[in-house]
Amino acid sequence: MLDAIWPRSASLATDGALHLAGCDARELARTYGTPLFVVDEDDVRSRAAEYRAAYDDAEHPFEVFFAGKAFLITAIARWVHEAGLGIDVASGGELAVALRAGVPGDRIVMHGNNKSVAEIEAALDHRLRAIVCDSLDELARISAVAALREVVAPVMLRLTVGVEAHTHEAIATAHEDQKFGLSIADGSAARAVTLALGDPRLHLLGFHSHIGSQIFDAAGFEIAAHRVVAFMAEMARAHGFTPEALDLGGGMGIRYVEDDDPLDPAEMARRLRAIVVHECAEAGIPVPHLSVEPGRAIVGPSTVTLYEVGVVKDVQVDEQHHRQYVAVDGGMSDNIRTALYDAQYTAALANRTSSAPTTASRIVGKHCESGDIVVRDLAFPDDVHAGDLVAVAATGAYCYPMASNYNALPRPAVVGVRDSVARLLVRRETLDDLMARDLG
Ligand SMILES: Cc1ncc(COP(=O)(O)O)c(C=O)c1O
C-alpha cells in the first residue's frame, strides 16, 4: 500500500514496479501504450459508496450526485450509479454518456450556464430530475421549450451567494464577478423566483449553490448556507414559497500532495447537515430535500497517468541552482490543470526502484509551450532516463475530460483495473480518428 495520494489498490513490488489492483504498470504500458490513464475501479466504487453512506441520515439525508464533469465515461457513470449516486451533467454530451450507462433520467440533474435549446429538449424528453437554471435568459428559454413540448419543466435556480471558497466573509462578495448563477445581491435571484412561480410551464423545486473546488473545510459552505437559507426565508415571506430541494454543490477537496489535508467525508457531511439544519431552524423554515455534487472527491484519487520518459535535461536555473527536466510523452494535452491553475501533483518512477539521490525536478510534456508542465516541483531520482515509466497520482479529475489534441496528439486510452485484470474502457485515439474529421 502507498499513502493516501495514490489509488487504494496501489502497491510497490519488491523490484520497485508500481502495481495497481494487482496489475504491473510495465505490463499496462506495454499492452496499452503511454500516456495511459489507469483507473482503479474499486477505488471509484468504494469512494462513491462511502460518500453515499456519509451523507445518509435517518432524519436529514443528502442525496449525492456525482459531478460528471470531473471524469465521465460510460464505465464510471455505471459504477457510481451502481453505488447509489445520481449524476450531474453539464451538457447534452454528458447527458448522453449518463443515459448510455443506464442512469435513469430522474437520477440526473442538468447544469450549465448556457444550455442550448437541444440540451433543454433532451433534459425534458428524458424527464431529468431538474434543470439547474443559471440566468433569467435561460429561465425564459426553458419555459419556451417546455411550452412547445407541452410539459412542465422542473427547475432549480443556481444562486450566486457571493462566497469565494477558502475565503473570509469580509471579502466574500469579490466572487460576484464571475459568469455563474443568479445573484442574490443584485436582485436577479429574487426576480427569477417571481418569474418561475408565475410561470405555469415551470415547477420551481428550489435552489442550488456551488462555491468552488478543492475545498478542505466547511467554512465557505457555512457562509453560503447562511445566505441561501436567508434568501429562502425571504422568498417564503414574499411568496409563501417553501422550496422542496436545496443543493450545496460540490468542491470537496482531495490530497494531491502531502500538505493537502481535506476533511474526512463523514465529518464534512456531518458539518454540512448541522449547518443547514441550524440555519433553517433559525430562519423558521422546514429543511428541504438536500443534495451535494462531489466530482473530484469521487474520482480524483482513483487514477494514475503513466508516461514514458523520452528526454532528461539538466538546466541551470541560476548560479546556485539547477533543475532536472524530465520530458514525458504527453503533457498539457492530457493534463492541462498545472498550466491552467498551477495544480500540484505527486509522481514516482513506476518501472523500477531507484536508490539514486533525488534532485530538484520538473516533469514536462512534449508540447510546443514552455508552460507545458505536468509536475512543477518535485524531488526525483537523478538517474531517471529515457525509457523509464513515470506515474502521476490523483489524475482522475479534470484531466481526461479536459484532454485536447494540441499538436495533433491523439488522446490517451483509459484502462480500468480490478482484481489483477485490466480492461480497456476508452481506446486510444488514432491519427485516423483525427484525419477522419479533417475534410481537407
Ligand atoms: C455546479 C457544480 N457542481 C459540482 C461541481 C464539482 O466540483 P468538484 O469536482 O470540485 O467536487 C462543479 C465543479 O465545477 C460545479 O460547477
Side-chain angles (χ1 to χ4, degrees):
M1 279 293 285
L2 293 168
D3 68 22
I5 299 170
W6 295 85
R8 285 176 167 161
S9 72
S11 61
L12 286 179
T14 43
D15 58 5
L18 177 68
H19 283 232
L20 298 157
C23 298
D24 186 323
R26 296 168 298 193
E27 194 56 40
L28 291 169
R30 253 194 306 276
T31 309
Y32 301 102
T34 52
L36 182 68
F37 289 104
V38 185
V39 189
D40 175 350
E41 176 174 342
D42 283 337
D43 189 293
V44 176
R45 287 182 183 273
S46 60
R47 282 179 210 277
E50 279 165 25
Y51 260 76
R52 178 144 197 266
Y55 281 85
D56 200 12
D57 182 66
E59 223 184 326
H60 300 296
F62 279 77
E63 200 170 351
V64 182
F65 289 86
F66 167 58
K69 66 206 79 178
F71 194 175
L72 197 67
I73 58 174
T74 312
I76 290 181
R78 195 178 323 111
W79 300 341
V80 299
H81 172 57
E82 285 171 5
L85 271 51
I87 298 201
D88 121 31
V89 297
S91 71
E94 288 188 0
L95 174 58
V97 176
L99 292 170
R100 183 170 184 244
V103 183
D106 70 354
R107 302 286 290 135
I108 303 174
V109 296
M110 178 177 274
H111 274 281
N113 69 307
N114 184 14
K115 301 170 194 74
S116 67
V117 167
E119 287 171 332
I120 295 166
E121 285 171 348
L124 295 177
D125 292 348
H126 291 285
R127 298 174 184 279
L128 299 202
R129 170 78 67 84
I131 303 176
V132 183
C133 174
D134 197 82
S135 65
L136 294 171
D137 275 356
E138 193 173 81
L139 200 63
R141 194 175 304 152
I142 296 169
S143 172
V145 176
L148 283 174
R149 288 285 202 264
E150 297 186 346
V151 295
V152 174
V155 292
M156 295 176 78
L157 300 178
R158 176 161 174 178
L159 304 176
T160 306
V161 293
V163 173
E164 194 167 5
H166 300 299
T167 208
H168 185 268
E169 170 85 350
I171 52 166
T173 49
H175 215 54
E176 286 286 329
D177 189 10
Q178 48 84 28
K179 71 172 183 170
F180 290 111
L182 290 145
S183 167
I184 295 178
D186 78 1
S188 312
R191 175 102 189 99
V193 171
T194 306
L195 290 171
L197 292 176
D199 189 329
R201 289 293 164 197
L202 301 175
H203 175 194
L204 180 58
L205 295 169
F207 302 107
H208 180 283
S209 148
H210 173 76
I211 57 169
S213 225
Q214 189 59 353
I215 301 168
F216 289 165
D217 61 37
F221 288 105
E222 187 154 11
I223 303 169
H226 178 72
R227 292 184 181 182
V228 171
V229 173
F231 179 73
M232 281 162 45
E234 198 186 316
M235 294 304 103
R237 282 193 297 277
H239 304 284
F241 171 64
T242 313
E244 294 163 46
L246 170 61
D247 190 300
L248 291 181
M252 296 74 181
I254 64 165
R255 212 154 171 238
Y256 285 101
V257 291
E258 268 177 26
D259 287 349
D260 290 338
D261 189 19
L263 264 190
D264 160 69
E267 181 55 20
M268 183 68 108
R270 198 190 59 71
R271 291 196 195 177
L272 293 192
R273 185 178 305 108
I275 289 165
V276 178
V277 170
H278 170 79
E279 292 292 336
C280 286
E282 290 276 297
I285 55 175
V287 178
H289 175 77
L290 300 170
S291 52
V292 283
E293 292 170 346
R296 183 192 313 278
I298 305 296
V299 287
S302 69
T303 299
V304 159
T305 310
L306 288 180
Y307 299 100
E308 186 176 315
V309 175
V311 167
V312 180
K313 209 187 254 187
D314 199 60
V315 171
Q316 197 71 35
V317 176
D318 55 34
E319 275 174 19
Q320 278 94 44
H321 302 98
H322 70 116
R323 196 189 316 274
Q324 172 175 254
Y325 274 73
V326 181
V328 296
D329 51 357
M332 65 194 297
S333 57
D334 58 75
N335 188 347
I336 189 75
R337 292 187 66 254
T338 310
L340 197 58
Y341 29 64
D342 240 345
Q344 290 183 294
Y345 283 101
T346 299
L349 272 180
N351 57 316
R352 64 182 173 93
T353 188
S354 169
S355 50
T358 60
T359 185
S361 302
R362 182 162 285 175
I363 296 178
V364 296
K366 59 180 278 141
H367 293 281
C368 302
E369 293 277 331
S370 52
D372 173 27
I373 295 168
V374 181
V375 188
R376 188 173 295 280
D377 287 309
L378 80 167
F380 215 64
D382 71 1
D383 67 345
V384 59
H385 54 73
D388 272 336
L389 288 178
V390 169
V392 178
T395 56
Y398 305 105
C399 291
Y400 176 78
M402 288 190 180
S404 75
N405 293 121
Y406 182 41
N407 293 139
L409 252 65
R411 281 173 290 189
V414 181
V415 162
V417 289
R418 188 184 205 190
D419 295 339
S420 305
V421 176
R423 183 164 73 90
L424 189 60
L425 303 179
V426 181
R427 71 160 170 81
R428 183 175 303 282
E429 241 174 356
T430 62
L431 285 180
D432 284 345
D433 290 329
L434 300 188
M435 296 307 162
R437 293 174 54 250
D438 182 339
L439 304 181

